[in-house]
Amino acid sequence: AEGGRREAAPELADSALRATLAELQHGLMQPQARVSPKFLYDSRGCDLFEQITRLPEYYPTRTEAAILADSGPAMAEALRGSEVLIELGAGNCEKVRGLCRSLRPRHFVGVDIAGAFLRQSVRRLAEEFPQLQAHAVTADITEPLALPPYIPQAGRLLFYPGSSIGNFDPEQAQRMLGQMRALLSDDGGLLIGIDLPKPIQWLEPAYDDAQGVTARFNLNLLSHVNHLLGSDFNEGDWEHVAFFNTEHSRIEMHLRARRPLIVGWPQGLRHFAAGETIHTENSYKYPLPDFLDMLACAGFGACQVWTDERQWFAVIHAHA
Ligand code: AVI
């Protein structure tokens, strides 16, 4: 690769860096190589994901936005008393604006792994809603989350839009729902968006768009991994692959080697045969009854569901 291998990312704290390197190396050395989808989101990845949400083929963002807009008044009624709005995986804080307008909460807490991007988004939100006490918490939401002590317990509404829960395996998704429940007292709730199963002719183009933005998003993971691990992946050696796995009801994204390759990094190397892949993301499409069962197993109570005409996407309010 151009310039050869580099030092692993010097700006991460020692222990965080060691854990990241171990995780990346472990995944790359598996018979089916894999890299967690969280590594899709460096700052270029965040920008590319924003572009994806505006693509004609990528229906989830606009379908969810339409549900939130169309069901606004009924939702606001159901969510009355939510004084502390907590968005998980907040990113650009775009989706929460409507809720800030209709619910007028006292606090907003944005939680995201991409700290710099999040702080910028929270700052913009605070400018738009001057009465809102807005906080940015940089955290990996797959880990048990402890919110700062100055965030009130009562009246918490967790907001987890975008069907991001679908990017975790069902066991991990179940664990995360349990962790979300643990952040709430009995007056709290969760407002969560999930993408529903639908014919492949709509699903696959959403993850393999004509303009190639999703391909760039997937390939960008390699330069992020290079930065973290000091590896010498070359984007031109790989191609984007996305398909629906019917058995598991999930879209899978992979990067496929265009030719036999050797990829190296300071502590190791891996041979890839031509056509071998690195599995970079799953996006589960849960049937609604299955997901409602998962919420019940996590300790949530009554649920109210809003959906679109085609029943492509659901927004669920689960009471604690
Ligand atoms: C963030 N997440 C819900 C997206 C999805 O649809 O699974 C990530 C994505 N990957 C490719 N396109 C969008």
Side-chain angles (χ1 to χ4, degrees), residues 53-315:
T53 64
R54 293 191 289 269
L55 289 170
E57 297 95 331
Y58 193 75
Y59 60 85
T61 310
R62 80 175 61 82
T63 308
E64 181 181 52
I67 296 170
L68 288 169
D70 294 350
S71 316
M75 223 177 259
E77 183 55 32
L79 303 175
R80 221 154 23 112
S82 303
E83 293 281 345
V84 185
L85 185 52
I86 302 168
E87 184 173 5
L88 303 172
N92 61 12
C93 299
E94 208 43 70
K95 293 177 178 156
V96 83
R97 288 189 149 68
L99 288 177
C100 287
R101 242 170 263 127
S102 58
L103 299 179
R104 307 200 141 269
R106 274 191 303 131
H107 295 264
F108 171 74
V109 186
V111 184
D112 205 294
I113 194 166
F117 189 78
L118 173 71
R119 282 191 293 277
Q120 225 179 48
S121 317
V122 168
R123 213 172 300 129
R124 275 201 306 271
L125 192 75
E127 279 163 19
E128 202 178 319
F129 298 94
Q131 74 281 42
L132 190 66
Q133 297 183 45
H135 320 269
V137 174
T138 305
D140 180 349
I141 59 165
T142 60
E143 303 292 331
L145 182 65
L147 291 175
Y150 50 82
I151 310 294
Q153 266 287 343
R156 286 183 177 179
L157 176 69
L158 297 176
F159 182 44
Y160 195 33
S163 195
S164 298
I165 193 79
N167 294 130
F168 302 99
D169 289 341
E171 302 72 38
Q172 194 175 6
Q174 185 66 68
R175 251 195 323 275
M176 286 169 66
L177 291 175
Q179 286 162 17
M180 291 176 200
R181 177 62 188 85
L183 288 172
L184 302 171
S185 44
D186 288 349
D187 67 344
L190 167 66
L191 188 67
I192 187 165
I194 63 155
D195 195 16
L196 301 171
K198 61 188 61 59
I200 286 184
Q201 82 206 66
W202 300 106
L203 276 170
E204 286 187 342
Y207 292 84
D208 194 7
D209 61 280
Q211 292 170 56
V213 181
T214 310
R216 289 201 286 284
F217 173 66
N218 197 8
L219 286 161
N220 177 62
L221 171 133
L222 296 176
S223 62
H224 190 202
V225 171
N226 281 348
H227 176 72
L228 294 167
L229 187 61
S231 49
D232 59 1
F233 281 103
N234 201 328
E235 283 193 27
D237 292 335
W238 299 85
E239 64 184 331
H240 166 69
V241 180
F243 60 90
F244 189 64
N245 178 330
T246 312
E247 188 193 339
H248 293 289
S249 193
R250 69 187 188 203
I251 286 280
E252 293 188 15
M253 282 207 322
H254 293 249
L255 290 164
R256 183 162 59 204
R258 292 180 185 273
R259 55 185 180 81
L261 296 169
I262 300 175
V263 178
W265 54 92
Q267 304 80 2
L269 61 80
R270 161 114 195 213
H271 291 257
F272 290 93
E276 226 183 313
T277 71
I278 304 174
H279 189 173
T280 54
E281 188 184 62
N282 289 321
S283 192
Y284 283 84
K285 310 301 172 190
Y286 293 105
L288 186 58
D290 294 9
F291 195 77
L292 293 175
D293 282 349
M294 288 168 72
L295 285 166
C297 285
F300 284 97
C303 289
Q304 190 168 358
V305 181
W306 294 274
T307 183
D308 56 296
E309 239 171 41
R310 297 182 290 193
Q311 311 231 318
W312 275 16
F313 199 98
V315 176

